[in-house]
Amino acid sequence: MSVIYILLTVSIIVAIVFFVAFILALKSGQFDDGYTPSVRMLFEDELVKTTKTITKTNNKTNHN
Amino acid sequence: MDINVCYHCGDTCTDATLVLEDKSFCCNGCKTVFEILSENDLTCYYDLQASPGAIPKEIEGKYDFLSQQKIIDKLVEFDDGDTQIVTLYIPHIHCSSCIWILENLNKLHPAISLSQVNFGKKTIRVSYNLESYSLKALVLLLSSVGYEPYISLEDYKTGQKNVNRSLIYKLGVAGFAFGNVMFLSFPEYFEVNEFWLDQYKHTFRWIMFTFSLPVVFYAAQDYFISAYKAINTKVLNIDIPIALGVVVLFLRSTAEIIFDIGSGFFDSLTGLVFFLLLGKFFQQKTYSFLSFERDYKSYFPIAVTKIFNNQEVPVQVYDIKKGDRLLIRNQELIPVDGILINGRAKIDYSFVTGESETVTKQSGDKLFAGGKQTSGVIEMEAIKSVEQSYLTQLWSNDVFSKNKEDGFTTLTNAISKRFTIAVLTIALVATVYWLFVDSSKALNVFTAVLIIACPCAIALAAPFTFGNLLRIFGKHKFYLKNASVLEQLAHINTIIFDKTGTITSNKKNDVKYDGLPLSTSEEMLLKNTLRGSNHPLSRSLYDILEANNIIPLDHFEEYLGQGIEASHNTQNIKIGSAQFVGHQTDTEVLNTSVFISSNNMYKGKYTFYNSYRKGLSKLFNSLKKKYDLVILSGDNEGELENLKKLLPAKTKLLFNQKPDDKLEYIKYHQSEGAKVLMVGDGLNDAGALAQSQVGIAISENVNVFSPACDAILDATKFNQLYHYIKVSKSGIKIVKWSFLLSLFYNIIGLYFAVTGQLAPVIAAILMPLSSISIVVFTTVATNIVGRKLK
């Protein structure tokens, strides 16, 4: 039954790992702006379209 | 003429010549932005949202100061000589098109490596390479596509702002501990005598103890600090019984596991702290794009142009010394008191005094800081430094350093006083009783009473009620600084309004003509002349007059600050000030007028009146039953008759009030017991807004700056003011009902505590149950109340 010590240790370590992950995520500032990313993720299509055309016009911009 | 809508900014187009790729534009600025964007394949900008743009402003020379290293160092947050990172505030950010274009800035210039928008704060963070680019170039680029950043004296401080996330950390710690302790304490709840359980219960208990340490010493520390401060100042606030409860919970639980009496109340302890912090977090609703703490610094430029040895050099505002020659451009703010040297000064002092008319100054006249030059370039000589100027002096009034909440006892604190005394009395009486009956139980009962009566539910009632109301108000464009403002709003009995910009809208569009009637040809000429002018008065007059055929003018000339002159065939027309058209006025003019003469014969004048906000009379009539109403205006008495017709007879009307007068007026009435709500809009009301119990700033556009205040109200919702006050009153009622509800739980808990049968499982059920039911009740009730708002 002393296996319970192992179980306790493992479960608490797992819990602490998640807790640390939460703190780190908070510190990184990813929860500071809850709106912009939700809009940003919808932009992919236009960007692809523009990058295609950008390669054409790149010759223009590369010379400065 | 067909009315088109500008493809870029959505304004109506009056100029038919600006058409490009069958899209019409209202002005050259908008057309240029479209050209820039289409050259760079960024026309998706217009697909995401129709007409998302802003008209780019004239910024000739405005940002020259950004070439000074000293100023750049203060603005950028990172600089290694190769790359710079800067965060700029852009008021125009308002839709997904804005995000898209601003995050694709690198298409406009390859030196920009990354640009990230924070929509909530309306800021953009840009990193760019210094080899081929600079901060000034970036600002000019942003301005050229209609996203002019707002850089004010307030930004003139080094380093990044630290975000305070300590509450969320604490919430995380408490929640983490609460969850784990709940699991660990579960086996012991039902006190079954089971072999394995008895073997390992000590392990479980000590782990729980370990989990509760960070909760007590870190997460709950604010309550201890606040309670300590309250005891020092001899006030009983709600944090005292909370801190007491936490201490007793922790000490008794620790004693129980040391002496092997029981499993302790660690689950209730961590749960209590978690719920309390949750309430705090919920109440901490901030509108990150609004600032309630503005002073003159947000209005002032960082730098102005100084004339030194006939050279124009940008100079930091704080470095202006007495005797410096300054160049003030059109639409720029005068940063220091000084003397006009040359140029046509037409100063708009509405910022400082509330007077809406511009003042014309001659060379040698004194100019005051805070005025805005509105026609052309002027030169002035500084006679004071920034700190000593008149406007800055306003802020030295101690009303700005006072914290309004200090003098106000919240409902929760008022009740906690009685509550604490009652709980301590019950605890003592019960302990004394048990000392005689069964002394072994006495300490148990004493601590049990303090534990179960810990006013968790009481402490949660106000944060959740007010927090939710703040959110509901925010949806209806009424933004409050914090919950205590809402409580104060319910207690007011006097409402004071500023006039200009508050009860009137900023657009002057009521026009009256008096004079000789104009002939058809004169009308046609008038209309066509106005078409060519960009002066705001010409524009509004043009919009009001009937449409006419477009005729080509033979001659057109605009005299800055005076008027316009135009001719067609044999007709000549002059539009402008009385002097300009050669008309002698005998009465002093109090209103804005445009005079007209045709072939040098005075014809008449168009007089502009403020137009009052929609629903003003109705609002005043519904308010007058319960409140004393006052109008305090910095303006002249030109509108007195108009106001008398509009407003209830009892309304007091006072004109020509300087900012200090307003402040003193409120102070005086407060000393006579008035609870004042001040509604204003400008810097000139800042003192009054700060002095009153509640200061509401009205704003036509909440992204534009409002003075320091307790709440910001969108101008379109002005006529709803009465409903907001009513709802805040209902909020107070909801809090009171919640108190009753939590009292009911407390009585049940106290029964167990006083009789000495409080088991951990009862505490573990009662405590969250009471807290959660309070949260549910307040949320449902406030949502029902909030439906009243339109």
Side-chain angles (χ1 to χ4, degrees):
Chain A
M1 201 47 197
S2 18
V3 72
I4 201 149
Y5 288 121
I6 299 170
L7 289 175
L8 272 177
T9 319
V10 169
S11 70
I12 286 172
I13 285 172
V14 169
I16 286 173
V17 165
F18 276 102
F19 179 63
V20 169
F22 166 73
I23 295 290
L24 287 177
L26 196 62
K27 258 202 158 53
S28 75
Q30 67 180 42
F31 298 117
D32 290 358
D33 181 7
Y35 181 79
T36 323
S38 67
V39 176
R40 194 177 288 140
M41 68 170 290
L42 303 170
F43 289 154
E44 206 90 58
D45 304 344
E46 299 91 347
L47 282 180
V48 171
K49 202 164 74 186
T50 48
T51 40
K52 273 181 201 158
T53 44
I54 279 290
T55 46
K56 280 182 221 161
T57 53
N58 240 356
N59 310 335
K60 259 193 289 181
T61 50
N62 269 351
H63 292 303
N64 41 9
Chain B
M1 204 171 79
D2 57 335
I3 296 289
N4 273 326
V5 173
C6 175
Y7 185 68
H8 175 73
C9 75
D11 283 359
T12 43
C13 308
T14 44
D15 198 332
T17 56
L18 295 167
V19 178
L20 189 77
E21 302 175 22
D22 66 88
K23 299 171 177 71
S24 43
F25 296 93
C26 68
C27 63
N28 264 320
C30 288
K31 191 171 146 191
T32 317
V33 179
F34 174 77
E35 281 164 353
I36 295 172
L37 297 185
S38 53
E39 263 170 38
N40 291 290
D41 290 310
L42 292 170
T43 45
C44 272
Y45 179 61
Y46 300 101
D47 305 342
L48 294 163
Q49 183 121 12
S51 315
I55 304 170
K57 289 199 189 74
E58 221 22 79
I59 46 167
E60 190 65 42
K62 188 173 167 185
Y63 288 111
D64 286 350
F65 64 88
L66 288 178
S67 50
Q68 286 199 314
Q69 195 55 43
K70 198 176 114 188
I71 293 174
I72 291 175
D73 289 345
K74 291 274 187 187
L75 293 175
V76 297
E77 53 187 65
F78 175 84
D79 186 357
D80 64 355
D82 187 31
T83 312
Q84 266 181 4
I85 300 176
V86 68
T87 300
L88 295 166
Y89 173 73
I90 300 181
H92 183 64
I93 293 178
H94 70 291
C95 66
S96 46
S97 279
C98 304
I99 302 175
W100 185 80
I101 193 82
L102 290 172
E103 301 214 329
N104 284 316
L105 276 185
N106 55 351
K107 308 269 193 308
L108 291 171
H109 200 288
I112 298 170
S113 51
L114 180 79
S115 52
Q116 257 198 325
V117 174
N118 180 330
F119 191 84
K121 288 201 172 80
K122 296 187 191 290
T123 56
I124 178 171
R125 194 161 179 266
V126 190
S127 358
Y128 49 92
N129 190 322
L130 278 176
E131 246 170 73
S132 55
Y133 216 57
S134 67
L135 178 60
K136 184 181 165 185
L138 171 71
V139 171
L140 295 181
L141 174 79
L142 284 167
S143 307
S144 74
V145 289
Y147 286 95
E148 191 183 354
Y150 188 85
I151 301 171
S152 72
L153 197 52
E154 217 179 4
D155 304 317
Y156 192 75
K157 47 185 182 291
T158 323
Q160 271 174 281
K161 288 184 206 98
N162 278 329
V163 204
N164 185 3
R165 302 198 189 98
S166 71
L167 182 60
I168 311 180
Y169 289 134
K170 285 171 182 156
L171 195 59
V173 169
F176 169 75
F178 174 50
N180 282 295
V181 171
M182 268 287 183
F183 277 128
L184 291 165
S185 56
F186 206 82
E188 271 210 89
Y189 273 158
F190 308 107
E191 294 184 24
V192 281
N193 288 324
E194 199 264 344
F195 174 72
W196 289 116
L197 197 64
D198 283 341
Q199 285 277 295
Y200 291 104
K201 67 181 179 195
H202 300 290
T203 316
F204 279 60
R205 287 174 183 179
W206 284 109
I207 295 174
M208 286 197 284
F209 171 79
T210 318
F211 272 127
S212 74
L213 286 176
V215 175
V216 174
F217 291 102
Y218 171 66
Q221 63 181 355
D222 289 349
Y223 292 100
F224 295 129
I225 294 165
S226 156
Y228 175 74
K229 276 184 187 158
I231 290 169
N232 265 357
T233 52
K234 299 204 169 48
V235 205
L236 273 178
N237 67 5
I238 191 77
D239 293 339
I240 294 175
I242 290 175
L244 191 68
V246 171
V247 169
V248 171
L249 266 168
F250 182 69
L251 290 180
R252 176 168 168 181
S253 307
T254 313
E256 278 194 7
I257 60 169
I258 290 174
F259 302 117
D260 197 15
I261 303 165
S263 61
F265 297 86
F266 291 115
D267 49 349
S268 302
L269 168 66
T270 47
L272 171 85
V273 176
F274 175 68
F275 281 120
L276 286 170
L277 290 171
L278 204 62
K280 248 192 186 170
F281 175 72
F282 194 77
Q283 195 178 11
Q284 213 192 28
K285 167 80 186 154
T286 48
Y287 303 101
S288 49
F289 63 95
L290 295 174
S291 167
F292 295 98
E293 309 295 341
R294 294 188 187 285
D295 59 6
Y296 66 96
K297 286 198 185 88
S298 337
Y299 298 83
F300 269 40
I302 285 193
V304 283
T305 312
K306 181 168 136 182
I307 299 169
F308 190 69
N309 299 340
N310 289 332
Q311 298 249 315
E312 291 183 13
V313 266
V315 58
Q316 214 285 309
V317 166
Y318 287 128
D319 296 342
I320 297 173
K321 289 181 199 65
K322 201 176 147 177
D324 282 357
R325 279 280 191 104
L326 305 174
L327 188 81
I328 309 289
R329 293 189 181 81
N330 192 8
Q331 298 299 327
E332 271 185 11
L333 206 76
I334 297 167
V336 290
D337 295 354
I339 289 173
L340 181 64
I341 306 261
N342 62 38
R344 297 191 39 81
K346 270 186 90 125
I347 314 288
D348 170 8
Y349 276 123
S350 57
F351 244 17
V352 192
T353 59
E355 171 68 61
S356 51
E357 303 305 321
T358 53
V359 188
T360 311
K361 293 282 183 190
Q362 308 299 334
S363 176
D365 286 353
K366 217 174 155 185
L367 302 175
F368 291 103
K372 205 176 196 177
Q373 163 62 357
T374 58
S375 68
V377 182
I378 54 170
E379 259 182 62
M380 61 177 280
E381 184 176 301
I383 52 173
K384 279 182 182 160
S385 66
V386 172
E387 286 88 356
Q388 293 164 328
S389 291
Y390 168 72
L391 182 70
T392 330
Q393 293 292 319
L394 267 187
W395 260 266
S396 59
N397 191 316
D398 55 7
V399 72
F400 290 102
S401 51
K402 256 193 331 207
N403 187 354
K404 266 191 207 185
E405 288 166 57
D406 293 348
F408 179 72
T409 315
T410 60
L411 205 56
T412 313
N413 285 341
I415 205 149
S416 74
K417 191 172 161 181
R418 289 176 219 156
F419 180 86
T420 314
I421 293 165
V423 168
L424 286 173
T425 316
I426 292 170
L428 285 172
V429 170
T431 315
V432 170
Y433 168 81
W434 281 105
L435 276 175
F436 290 109
V437 179
D438 177 2
S439 57
S440 65
K441 269 194 175 176
L443 192 63
N444 173 351
V445 167
F446 180 74
T447 49
V449 170
L450 291 184
I451 287 170
I452 203 69
C454 185
C456 181
I458 288 186
L460 287 181
F464 276 96
T465 307
F466 294 146
N468 204 22
L469 279 179
L470 286 191
R471 240 170 293 271
I472 291 167
F473 278 177
K475 272 187 204 139
H476 291 89
K477 298 186 178 170
F478 182 35
Y479 308 96
L480 276 78
K481 189 160 99 180
N482 57 35
S484 94
V485 174
L486 210 144
E487 218 175 308
Q488 301 229 37
L489 191 61
H491 292 300
I492 52 157
N493 56 20
T494 308
I495 307 181
I496 297 179
F497 293 89
D498 165 54
K499 183 177 76 78
T500 318
T502 304
I503 59 175
T504 65
S505 63
N506 288 340
K507 298 185 192 76
K508 293 198 161 193
N509 43 13
D510 283 12
V511 175
K512 221 166 69 185
Y513 178 75
D514 44 315
L516 309 165
L518 298 172
S519 67
T520 332
S521 61
E522 279 171 343
E523 266 188 25
M524 199 147 76
L525 181 57
L526 169 69
K527 178 92 178 168
N528 277 288
T529 310
L530 291 171
R531 264 194 71 209
S533 163
N534 259 333
H535 192 279
L537 286 182
S538 322
R539 297 249 58 96
S540 34
L541 194 53
Y542 177 82
D543 291 339
I544 290 158
L545 295 173
E546 305 278 302
N548 274 306
N549 304 334
I550 295 175
I551 49 168
L553 298 170
D554 302 342
H555 160 81
F556 173 89
E557 184 143 12
E558 188 155 3
Y559 299 94
L560 207 57
Q562 298 181 63
I564 7 179
E565 187 172 9
S567 61
H568 173 66
N569 298 340
T570 57
Q571 278 243 325
N572 163 298
I573 194 166
K574 274 180 155 186
I575 308 164
S577 65
Q579 288 164 315
F580 179 72
V581 301
H583 174 62
Q584 297 300 327
T585 44
D586 39 4
T587 52
E588 199 196 338
V589 190
L590 290 175
N591 295 320
T592 318
S593 304
V594 172
F595 296 82
I596 293 165
S597 74
S598 168
N599 294 339
N600 289 329
M601 269 278 299
Y602 174 68
K603 280 286 187 183
K605 61 173 183 183
Y606 282 96
T607 307
F608 288 81
Y609 290 99
N610 292 126
S611 60
Y612 289 95
R613 292 199 191 284
K614 227 174 52 205
L616 178 74
S617 285
K618 206 173 146 205
L619 172 73
F620 269 62
N621 281 321
S622 52
L623 286 173
K624 77 171 181 197
K625 298 182 195 92
K626 290 181 187 166
Y627 305 102
D628 293 338
L629 302 174
V630 185
I631 304 271
L632 275 186
S633 174
D635 223 336
N636 59 49
E637 296 182 356
E639 294 271 336
L640 182 66
E641 292 308 313
N642 247 342
L643 274 170
K644 275 190 175 162
K645 273 180 242 159
L646 270 171
L647 304 180
K650 273 201 315 185
T651 314
K652 287 198 200 95
L653 302 167
L654 296 159
F655 292 95
N656 301 319
Q657 299 285 313
K658 290 197 180 64
D660 299 340
D661 301 342
K662 290 186 185 183
L663 203 158
E664 289 306 322
Y665 182 89
I666 291 176
K667 226 183 203 158
Y668 169 72
H669 281 269
Q670 280 174 331
S671 66
E672 297 204 328
K675 301 259 187 295
V676 180
L677 162 65
M678 171 80 201
V679 188
D681 74 319
L683 262 189
N684 58 311
D685 301 316
L689 290 171
Q691 176 65 41
S692 58
Q693 263 82 8
V694 181
I696 299 180
I698 297 276
S699 174
E700 303 258 337
N701 174 355
V702 284
N703 308 327
V704 178
F705 309 97
S706 41
C709 59
D710 303 309
I712 298 174
L713 175 63
D714 190 281
T716 52
K717 298 280 180 182
F718 173 71
N719 52 7
Q720 296 292 313
L721 188 63
Y722 182 52
H723 294 281
Y724 291 123
I725 300 174
K726 270 213 302 216
V727 169
S728 70
K729 282 187 184 224
S730 315
I732 300 279
K733 273 198 199 106
I734 293 169
V735 174
K736 285 181 176 164
W737 278 106
S738 312
F739 287 165
L740 279 180
L741 190 63
S742 69
L743 193 67
F744 161 75
Y745 281 112
N746 265 325
I747 288 168
I748 295 173
L750 280 171
Y751 162 76
F752 286 107
V754 172
T755 51
Q757 14 174 358
L758 183 73
V761 67
I762 294 174
I765 292 169
L766 260 184
M767 214 263 325
L769 189 70
S770 66
S771 304
I772 289 167
S773 60
I774 291 286
V775 170
V776 171
F777 169 72
T778 54
T779 310
V780 171
T782 45
N783 281 339
I784 291 169
V785 168
R787 280 195 203 140
K788 278 188 208 163
L789 296 170
K790 287 178 203 72

